[in-house]
Amino acid sequence: MHTPFQQSLVSLAVASACAILALPAHAQQAQDAQPTRQTDAAAAGAATPAEAAAPAPATAARDTTGDTSREARRDAGGAAVNTVVVSGSRIATRGFSQPTPTTTLSTADIEKAAKPNLFDTLTELPALQGSTGRTTNTFSTSSGIQGLSSLSLRGLGTIRTLTLLDGQRVVGANVTGVTDVSQFPQLLVKRVDVVTGGASASYGSDAIGGVVNFITDKKFTGFKANVEGGMTKYKDDKNGTLQAAWGKGFMDDRLHVTVSGEFTKHQGIDAPRFGQVNAGGRSWYDNPALQESTPAMQAAGAPRYKYIHNAQHIQYAKYGLITNGPLRGTAFGPGGTPYPFEYGADCMGNFCIGGDRSGSVGNGTNLAMNFKRQVGYTRISWDLDADNEIYVTANWAQVKSVFQPNPGAAKQGNLAIRCDNAYLPASLVAGCLSGYPSGAMSVGTANAEFPADINVHPTRTQRRFVVGADGRFGLFGRDWRYDAYVTHGENTTVIHVQDITLNPRYNFAIDAVRDAATGQIVCRSAAARAAGCQPINVLGDVPINLAGWNYIAPVNGPMQHTDSSQDVASLNINGEVWQGWAGPVSMAFGAEYRREKYAVRGDPYGAGVALESPYSPSYPQDPTLSASGDNWFAGNYHNGSGSFNVREAYVEFNIPFLKSDTWGEANLNLADREEKYSTAGKASAWKIGATWKTPLDGLRLRAVSSKDVRAPNLSELYAAMTVTNQAVNNNQGQSVQIQQRNVGNPNLKPEIARNNSFGIVLSQPSWARNFNFSVDYFDIKVDNVISSLNPQQEVDLCYAGNQEVCGSVSINGPAGSNYVLAQSFNFASLHTRGIDFETAYRLNMAGWGLPGSVTLRGLASRTIHAISDPGVPGTTPSEGAGNMTGATPKWKALVSQSWDGLLDGRLGLTLSERWIGAGVFNNEYIECRSDCPLPTAAHPTIYDNHMPGAVYIDFGGNYNISKQVTAYFKVDNLADRAPVLVPQTNLSLALNPAVYDAIGRTYRAGVRMTF
């Protein structure tokens, strides 16, 4: 059933179309029949005839129309007609100006960026905020997104940005369904369209933030290659790229074959392990932290948090530290010798300033992962006739990453070392027995004696096949175009974690005593000894017992194996249904079927013993380990599986309704999509937009309003269960012990977004033929947002009468039978709004007596609000705009200046600036230095809430050695601008690479060849 608004929308479309069809065709048809390539604001360098011979500018073009699989068609009279598709729309027609803002990166843009991975080029665009790559999530063992190059628009998350390859969906590289751009055949990409607005009506689920569409050169002919290498100023992160592509036509060019292969390798940046030491000779890391004041100080008006430098965590030392009782402050050095730990000054909470920081683990995380991508791609097409083809594409890609999330495995004062421990120095035994009635001391250690640090190895392998056809046909005297395809994609993700400990074995191994019979040091537990326990000494700088190390950190660490698949069948048809008085009335319609499924299994020590994860020679049975899993220090991957399918259909109209010398030209764009999910039920999306080319010279207005959707993904529906023991309070205030069962929620419904934008475009007015400018206001409100709740929130909601949540709560049974299903629900909402700016100007320098041409380009996004509302009683909305621990700075800009055509047209130079505006730690913090209000969980107080912005300057150039060979270079972060540190309440790397440059100055050089 359609809502009243949808019924009105469809009625409006039909009525408008009928009205226009009834109008007689007027003049201008001859003009309309001319080949047209619509260029919108910032299509810098749409050269005038006098400039046609000048080098093509390398700038992003706003709303430059796209391509179809066969761009040049023939009209009824045999004349060539170019029809093009903008990625924000399915319409392909002459002169169509779509209302949805779209930024396009051309081949020249991509080449000038000179990045080893196209992903890194895209993330510099201001609208891309919150993307993940090889510098993000390097601290994480269990997230599953490490090394995944996925794009996020507007800071709404990668799951709300739809990434396409030639307008087609690609199998997800993660259970959330997000794609890995590193798995795309990048050398053959000739254009990338970034649709910065809702596009669900055209493309379906996930396009709430927008669409990023990679368009390949489907008829590439010849041979081309790219060889590139680089490293940082600090001689690390050395990298190399080799890309090659070949294409050729056979049998009178009816058969066309294209093949490409790519290899990229980054060595990454090694972490310095322990202490206040910078990676690779960098000098910016200074052990930052947020120090927390005492409750008494807060009651007296002091702020809760203060940013400190040279922070010392007082709950552990490099080789062990006693943290309680009369022996507190005793550390252990070479050979296990005790010595007094050097505490710093201004100690408060967990931190002092200064002192012995040799055991700090904060900087022991990789700045960038070791990374390798391999991609093989082929496309084979056969022309059935001059206007129709069938084709097959095949893609194999593998992306491997290696990184260190943290050194050792720090224990923050939570180890109980008993007074009869065999490794406790004799000089401390008496003091332990007299000073600790319980017979045990609390000890913290960085475990720096471990011979290796935790290292994570994710490998993603994609196999994707497409069989399709595209072309044109005549019907009712009109010309129609179609594309149809079926695709099958598979992605296998395998994560291995090495040199990581099993918690129960570690605890058994450090609890060492002397055997009364033999005098040998053994594990205290007889059951553990029977299972192979070997003791280890964590009290001092002593060589670890390798037998003990192999016991606590077996060769086969945590393992996760995930198989994902996607099957799609799609048909799309579009054409001009009538020549109206104001231009051709066009329609696009189509249908799609999609099925996605996944299955994940872990190892029995992490996932628990199950049919999917049985004991094996690699993971033998150990009675001292929990059969239900969660035994590892980190990386406890669990089993799960699930699937869904969706059937959908859409229709879209473009209706020109105004063409006047007095009033200009205007068109209406309408679209509707209906979807039915096997899990989430029915969903619908629509769009209504308009553009008006005003009679004012070069001025155009555009506006669009859309309803967009995101259906719950496989992870949200069918997340693998994990179980922990927790306590909640019932409505009588009594504590109840429960099992917290973290599971998916198969009853989730789609997220619903309203996306509104309005823009002003000034494109090449007569008084500035090469000047383009656009400004677009956007407002995106997402309801029914899928977010997780904690057990107490679910219990409170159930007592408040929420029956949906009550189905997940059972806390009134006998002891041991109570549980809460910790699930995601459709309670939250998101609201973001802001303004996009884009401008470009091209100047032919001949008028100044200089060679070549200069192109000036600028893109900027101003995020006004990015509000997240949990939608749960007792919680408050939070503002994300300018929160520099998040992904949405208030300002993000990219500005460039290019001079092409120097040295007889051989040399081109480009200078660019990336700007991040200043912000705050958190918008919910209250800044104060004295007389502060009492902090709350929602609104803590802080001494200084300011976070500075940053400017990064890049410089590059290219030189045409010959018509076939071009050499190029690029220096990113020319000034070696250090990253802004973002401290936390625990020692960490204190970086936000989603906002700031974490690597430093980088040099690259390469050669491109085309034959």
Side-chain angles (χ1 to χ4, degrees):
M1 295 292 294
H2 287 286
T3 65
F5 184 85
Q6 291 172 317
Q7 292 174 342
S8 301
L9 180 68
V10 174
S11 300
L12 176 62
V14 174
S16 300
C18 292
I20 295 174
L21 294 178
L23 293 173
H26 285 276
Q28 304 287 340
Q29 292 183 8
Q31 175 182 332
D32 291 337
Q34 296 300 314
T36 303
R37 182 169 291 275
Q38 155 69 27
T39 303
D40 206 346
T48 62
E51 297 173 327
T59 62
R62 179 71 94 172
D63 282 4
T64 302
T65 50
D67 84 14
T68 60
S69 58
R70 300 170 61 81
E71 289 189 23
R73 304 295 187 186
R74 300 284 170 179
D75 63 15
V81 176
N82 288 344
T83 55
V84 290
V85 176
V86 182
S87 291
S89 169
R90 294 281 190 174
I91 296 290
T93 189
R94 299 164 289 169
F96 172 44
S97 176
Q98 66 135 349
T100 306
T102 301
T103 294
T104 292
L105 290 180
S106 67
T107 302
D109 298 319
I110 295 169
E111 290 180 349
K112 287 200 171 187
K115 304 281 189 181
N117 193 333
L118 184 51
F119 167 83
D120 298 316
T121 302
L122 289 166
T123 55
E124 291 183 353
L125 295 177
L128 272 294
Q129 299 172 353
S131 303
T132 65
R134 69 183 190 94
T135 61
T136 60
N137 297 289
T138 58
F139 58 85
S140 170
T141 304
S142 307
S143 69
I145 61 175
Q146 313 96 323
L148 179 63
S149 301
S150 54
L151 300 170
S152 169
L153 283 161
R154 306 294 189 206
L156 292 172
T158 57
I159 57 177
R160 297 181 185 89
T161 297
L162 181 59
T163 303
L164 305 172
L165 182 62
D166 288 323
Q168 302 170 354
R169 287 181 179 264
V170 178
V171 59
N174 180 270
V175 69
T176 60
V178 299
T179 57
D180 188 348
V181 173
S182 296
Q183 295 179 328
F184 286 15
Q186 297 184 6
L187 184 63
L188 288 173
V189 171
K190 67 178 184 180
R191 197 184 80 247
V192 182
D193 290 344
V194 181
V195 182
T196 54
S200 291
S202 294
Y203 291 100
S205 179
D206 305 333
I208 286 178
V211 171
V212 182
N213 192 7
F214 293 75
I215 309 297
T216 63
D217 188 348
K218 305 175 187 64
K219 292 294 185 179
F220 172 72
T221 300
F223 173 82
K224 65 178 178 178
N226 177 42
V227 181
E228 181 181 21
M231 65 179 180
T232 72
K233 166 190 172 182
Y234 306 95
K235 296 181 173 57
D236 53 20
D237 203 29
K238 295 178 180 178
N239 59 86
T241 296
L242 177 61
Q243 301 171 304
W246 171 84
K248 185 174 177 60
F250 301 91
M251 303 177 67
D252 295 328
D253 211 28
R254 296 189 69 182
L255 174 67
H256 195 89
V257 179
T258 304
V259 179
S260 75
E262 303 182 17
F263 175 86
T264 298
K265 179 73 168 70
H266 289 263
Q267 290 185 353
I269 301 175
D270 292 336
R273 299 198 75 197
F274 301 95
Q276 189 172 313
V277 183
N278 280 259
R282 294 166 175 82
S283 60
W284 44 261
Y285 184 76
D286 62 1
N287 269 38
L290 288 181
Q291 187 180 51
E292 185 171 6
S293 62
T294 66
M297 296 174 66
Q298 295 167 27
R304 179 177 180 181
Y305 294 121
K306 185 177 182 180
Y307 180 177
I308 63 172
H309 305 270
N310 305 309
Q312 174 198 58
H313 204 299
I314 62 174
Q315 294 300 316
Y316 64 89
K318 190 172 185 179
Y319 298 107
L321 173 69
I322 300 174
T323 60
N324 74 328
L327 296 178
R328 179 183 181 272
T330 302
F332 301 88
T337 303
Y339 69 93
F341 184 67
E342 180 189 355
Y343 288 100
D346 298 322
C347 297
M348 193 183 306
N350 289 326
F351 295 114
C352 298
I353 299 175
D356 183 353
R357 302 183 298 284
S358 62
S360 173
V361 300
N363 203 26
T365 302
N366 292 117
L367 288 177
M369 299 178 189
N370 182 299
F371 178 88
K372 181 171 71 174
R373 62 179 293 266
Q374 304 171 82
V375 180
Y377 173 84
T378 185
R379 186 180 194 271
I380 302 172
S381 63
W382 172 259
D383 289 353
L384 300 173
D385 53 37
D387 295 312
N388 298 276
E389 71 167 0
I390 56 176
Y391 65 89
V392 176
T393 69
N395 191 69
W396 177 90
Q398 187 174 83
V399 178
K400 292 184 176 182
S401 304
V402 182
F403 66 97
Q404 173 184 307
N406 57 272
K411 306 290 184 177
Q412 297 185 11
N414 58 353
L415 299 181
I417 300 297
R418 297 172 68 170
C419 296
D420 62 347
N421 190 290
Y423 294 118
L424 186 66
S427 61
L428 297 181
V429 172
C432 181
L433 291 172
S434 62
Y436 297 86
S438 66
M441 304 176 297
S442 295
V443 171
T445 177
N447 279 312
E449 73 281 355
F450 284 1
D453 297 320
I454 300 169
N455 49 98
V456 186
H457 302 250
T459 300
R460 295 180 177 83
T461 305
Q462 181 195 94
R463 300 162 296 278
R464 182 174 182 264
F465 307 92
V466 182
V467 178
D470 66 77
R472 58 176 277 177
F473 62 92
L475 184 65
F476 304 124
R478 312 302 299 178
D479 187 42
W480 295 85
R481 289 161 295 280
Y482 70 92
D483 74 86
Y485 65 90
V486 294
T487 176
H488 173 73
E490 300 173 353
N491 202 97
T492 300
T493 300
V494 180
I495 301 177
H496 287 286
V497 185
Q498 299 175 2
D499 301 311
I500 192 170
T501 58
L502 287 160
N503 285 333
R505 289 188 182 181
Y506 176 89
N507 292 331
F508 284 127
I510 66 172
D511 189 15
V513 296
R514 288 196 179 272
D515 184 87
T518 66
Q520 299 293 318
I521 298 178
V522 297
C523 302
R524 183 189 304 272
S525 167
R529 292 199 302 271
C533 181
Q534 296 289 325
I536 61 171
N537 183 7
V538 295
L539 302 178
D541 182 5
V542 294
I544 195 169
N545 172 16
L546 289 181
W549 171 250
N550 292 331
Y551 168 71
I552 66 173
V555 172
N556 297 301
M559 185 278 300
Q560 182 188 61
H561 184 107
T562 306
D563 290 311
S564 303
S565 68
Q566 181 189 79
D567 296 287
V568 179
S570 179
L571 172 64
N572 303 284
I573 298 174
N574 72 84
E576 298 175 0
V577 296
W578 191 262
Q579 181 64 40
W581 74 273
V585 177
S586 305
M587 178 176 69
F589 61 94
E592 184 171 291
Y593 170 83
R594 175 164 48 97
R595 180 181 62 191
E596 298 190 16
K597 63 179 180 179
Y598 94 106
V600 58
R601 60 181 176 86
D603 64 273
Y605 298 166
V609 181
L611 182 64
E612 301 89 350
S613 52
Y615 290 127
S616 67
S618 298
Y619 300 93
Q621 184 175 3
D622 183 343
T624 67
L625 300 179
S626 171
S628 61
D630 296 319
N631 291 289
W632 296 105
F633 175 78
N636 292 289
Y637 305 113
H638 289 258
N639 306 318
S641 63
S643 66
F644 72 83
N645 63 73
V646 56
R647 300 186 299 273
E648 49 194 324
Y650 74 93
V651 62
E652 182 176 2
F653 290 96
N654 177 59
I655 306 170
F657 62 88
L658 176 66
K659 191 163 192 176
S660 163
D661 291 338
T662 303
W663 297 102
E665 302 175 12
N667 66 281
L668 185 67
N669 185 220
L670 305 170
D672 182 76
R673 177 178 289 259
E674 299 297 322
E675 305 165 300
K676 186 174 182 180
Y677 289 87
S678 60
T679 52
K682 293 184 178 180
S684 62
W686 51 259
K687 175 179 70 172
I688 179 168
T691 62
W692 177 28
K693 183 179 179 182
T694 74
L696 301 178
D697 189 9
L699 182 65
R700 185 159 62 88
L701 306 180
R702 59 186 173 198
V704 63
S705 180
S706 64
K707 174 189 174 185
D708 301 283
V709 298
R710 183 184 78 85
N713 60 47
L714 291 169
S715 176
E716 294 162 333
L717 292 166
Y718 305 111
M721 178 181 290
T722 60
V723 179
T724 58
N725 294 318
Q726 299 288 344
V728 297
N729 294 324
N730 62 19
N731 61 342
Q732 303 298 319
Q734 300 168 325
S735 179
V736 180
Q737 294 296 314
I738 62 155
Q739 279 191 341
Q740 177 181 328
R741 302 175 184 176
N742 300 291
V743 295
N745 185 353
N747 298 316
L748 290 171
K749 300 301 180 183
E751 297 179 348
I752 305 299
R754 281 299 306 272
N755 202 320
N756 300 300
S757 68
F758 171 79
I760 301 173
V761 179
L762 183 63
S763 180
Q764 303 187 60
S766 59
W767 46 271
R769 293 301 305 170
N770 298 302
F771 175 72
N772 298 271
F773 174 78
S774 68
V775 55
D776 289 273
Y777 171 83
F778 62 87
D779 188 306
I780 306 171
K781 177 69 182 296
V782 191
D783 292 319
N784 293 343
V785 169
I786 299 169
S787 62
S788 59
L789 304 180
N790 62 48
Q792 189 62 60
Q793 288 175 325
E794 292 190 32
V795 170
D796 293 343
L797 284 170
C798 179
Y799 280 121
N802 190 308
Q803 295 304 307
E804 179 184 0
V805 175
C806 280
S808 301
V809 174
S810 177
I811 63 170
N812 296 318
S817 67
N818 296 310
Y819 66 87
V820 172
L821 300 180
Q823 296 178 301
S824 294
F825 295 91
N826 295 99
F827 292 157
S829 65
L830 300 170
H831 187 193
T832 185
R833 59 189 177 95
I835 304 174
D836 287 333
F837 303 88
E838 188 164 347
T839 185
Y841 178 68
R842 186 185 182 197
L843 177 65
N844 191 326
M845 299 303 290
W848 297 76
L850 297 172
S853 61
V854 171
T855 301
L856 309 177
R857 167 198 168 199
L859 303 94
S861 286
R862 168 68 164 97
T863 302
I864 299 172
H865 288 300
I867 299 173
S868 175
D869 186 349
V872 176
T875 62
T876 58
S878 61
E879 173 63 82
N883 179 352
M884 306 307 271
T885 61
T888 50
K890 287 186 177 181
W891 281 101
K892 182 180 178 182
L894 175 65
V895 180
S896 67
Q897 307 84 39
S898 297
W899 195 340
D900 296 292
L902 297 168
L903 298 182
D904 297 325
R906 291 177 176 267
L907 177 65
L909 299 173
T910 298
L911 182 69
S912 59
E913 300 81 33
R914 295 173 279 141
W915 174 51
I916 302 296
V920 296
F921 283 109
N922 193 303
N923 284 295
E924 306 313 313
Y925 285 3
I926 300 172
E927 181 177 300
C928 56
R929 301 189 178 187
S930 61
D931 298 324
C932 296
L934 281 175
T936 65
H939 299 290
T941 51
I942 189 170
Y943 186 84
D944 183 357
N945 199 25
H946 176 73
M947 287 288 290
V951 176
Y952 305 101
I953 301 172
D954 307 331
F955 180 67
N958 59 83
Y959 182 80
N960 298 326
I961 298 173
S962 67
K963 290 184 178 179
Q964 292 80 29
V965 180
T966 299
Y968 62 92
F969 74 92
K970 184 74 181 300
V971 183
D972 285 338
N973 196 353
L974 186 65
D976 194 32
R977 173 69 160 81
V980 174
L981 298 181
V982 186
Q984 301 177 22
T985 55
N986 200 354
L987 284 182
S988 68
L989 191 56
L991 289 179
N992 184 3
V995 175
Y996 299 108
D997 186 318
I999 294 177
R1001 185 189 304 157
T1002 302
Y1003 306 97
R1004 290 188 300 276
V1007 177
R1008 299 186 187 96
M1009 295 162 280
T1010 304
F1011 300 96

